[in-house]
Amino acid sequence: MRFFFKFQQGFDFDGSHFEDKGISPAGNVIDVPLHRHEMSVDVSRLEAELEFSFRDDWDLWIRVPYEIKSRKSSIGLIDAASDGEVQTMLRNNENHHGTETLEGVSDIKLLVARRWRDLFRKGSVLDLAIGTSLPTGRTEEDTITAGEEGREHEHFQFGIGTFNPLLELYYQESLSKKLILGGFALGAFPLYENSKNYRGPTEVTWGVNSRYKLLDLLAADGNFAFLYQGFAEFNDRRDPNTGLIATSFRFGLSLGPWNGMNVNFGVRFPLTQDLISSGEDTLEQGLSFSIGFMHSF
């Protein structure tokens, strides 16, 4: 049995965009001078994971995540606007993404994993995991329609609201007593809408990683990852806040093992981020830091 606890803190995820709509005192959507919604989000994520070996080379993985999203929002004028027009801009900004801190449990993940050792060459390890997410995270009503009608709504989804197939693949091999190279691929594939007519986006992450032993109890690791996120939908209408391709690099240091305990410190640097479709909008990823603990029983 192994227990993991991970904490990740991301700073200044930027969601700023141009806007030309406001909300009148009567609650109607109206045209206003061009301006910007200026938004910055700090994201904290805590995750507890339990890996239980129920027979040789077969594991059960359970992950329970908890997220805190702290959002700061304001408007920035581009074209000249009257005081009344500014007030309509502020109402619209507050309806879409007002300053607020949101938190809650995300979707729990449950997977069964099979491990093969020395499959391709001596010292290699291949893990294949298949499972599902559980609809434990809070979901939101149709944000597209609410925005068009000038009603207050929330874009942040803490869950998908459905049971979604998960597939994970990890491979590594020892090139020497000090150096390990590997690769990974992770996928989540929502297949149907939840009770609020929302279908989450397909997400696939793959990449390569390495680990180099510096001292008996100290190792350095590096990770290059490629993320593809498809579009989410409300009532078969594309959610414009989804759909991106991004790359990132992570560097970390690991201490241990001693008495069954490992500690890992890491920093992830966003490298590139592109929207799948022009004219859409999503959060631009920022720098993030992480710390993790692992204990084997």
Side-chain angles (χ1 to χ4, degrees):
M1 183 181 296
R2 292 192 297 177
F3 175 77
F4 297 83
F5 179 80
K6 307 171 188 176
F7 172 75
Q8 184 174 3
Q9 178 67 56
F11 297 95
D12 296 329
F13 284 47
D14 181 24
S16 303
H17 60 88
F18 293 104
E19 183 59 78
D20 60 2
K21 301 296 181 183
I23 304 296
S24 71
N28 299 316
V29 179
I30 61 174
D31 293 327
V32 295
L34 185 65
H35 59 286
R36 287 184 64 86
H37 285 183
E38 307 284 356
M39 182 174 65
S40 177
V41 182
D42 293 342
V43 180
S44 303
R45 180 180 176 88
L46 301 91
E47 183 174 86
E49 178 178 354
L50 180 67
E51 294 187 0
F52 175 72
S53 296
F54 56 89
R55 57 179 298 181
D56 289 345
D57 294 325
W58 284 91
D59 292 348
L60 178 66
W61 300 350
I62 303 173
R63 301 180 188 138
V64 182
Y66 189 89
E67 295 183 346
I68 303 171
K69 302 175 182 181
S70 180
R71 179 176 59 209
K72 296 180 180 179
S73 183
S74 61
I75 64 168
L77 295 180
I78 296 176
D79 295 338
S82 66
D83 291 342
E85 289 171 328
V86 169
Q87 291 304 311
T88 67
M89 298 174 186
L90 290 171
R91 290 191 197 96
N92 189 40
N93 182 63
E94 187 67 23
N95 276 2
H96 280 276
H97 29 236
T99 297
E100 190 176 3
T101 297
L102 305 168
E103 58 183 285
V105 174
S106 299
D107 286 349
I108 294 173
K109 296 180 180 180
L110 180 65
L111 300 104
V112 175
R114 173 72 162 92
R115 173 168 292 175
W116 291 269
R117 305 174 191 273
D118 303 324
L119 182 63
F120 301 110
R121 55 177 290 175
K122 185 175 178 58
S124 67
V125 179
L126 175 67
D127 288 293
L128 175 64
I130 299 175
T132 182
S133 62
L134 307 180
T136 52
R138 185 173 71 249
T139 59
E140 302 295 335
E141 301 287 349
D142 187 342
T143 60
I144 302 174
T145 301
E148 292 172 343
E149 296 176 354
R151 294 185 284 111
E152 186 175 356
H153 55 278
E154 179 54 61
H155 287 278
F156 284 150
Q157 303 268 0
F158 280 83
I160 304 299
T162 57
F163 292 89
N164 303 310
L166 304 174
L167 180 64
E168 301 186 3
L169 180 70
Y170 303 90
Y171 177 77
Q172 68 176 40
E173 59 179 58
S174 301
L175 300 185
S176 69
K177 292 183 178 180
K178 291 189 174 183
L179 179 62
I180 297 174
L181 294 180
F184 59 93
L186 320 173
F189 308 96
L191 300 178
Y192 62 100
E193 294 181 345
N194 65 16
S195 60
K196 299 174 182 176
N197 299 314
Y198 174 77
R199 185 177 65 82
T202 294
E203 290 190 355
V204 179
T205 303
W206 67 91
V208 294
N209 49 32
S210 63
R211 179 181 175 88
Y212 187 79
K213 189 174 182 179
L214 301 172
L215 301 170
D216 286 343
L217 297 179
L218 180 64
D221 60 85
N223 169 303
F224 174 81
F226 182 99
L227 166 67
Y228 168 85
Q229 181 197 68
F231 292 107
E233 295 179 348
F234 281 103
N235 293 299
D236 297 323
R237 297 177 66 191
R238 180 185 295 175
D239 182 353
N241 299 116
T242 58
L244 64 90
I245 297 172
T247 60
S248 63
F249 175 77
R250 180 188 182 278
F251 174 77
L253 291 173
S254 297
L255 298 174
W258 73 95
N259 296 325
M261 173 73 77
N262 284 75
V263 182
N264 181 274
F265 306 89
V267 56
R268 182 170 293 280
F269 304 91
L271 299 178
T272 64
Q273 179 169 315
D274 297 298
L275 299 175
I276 294 177
S277 177
S278 61
E280 310 293 357
D281 183 44
T282 188
L283 286 177
E284 184 175 342
Q285 299 180 20
L287 191 70
S288 62
F289 300 87
S290 64
I291 181 171
F293 301 90
M294 186 274 288
H295 193 279
S296 298
F297 299 91

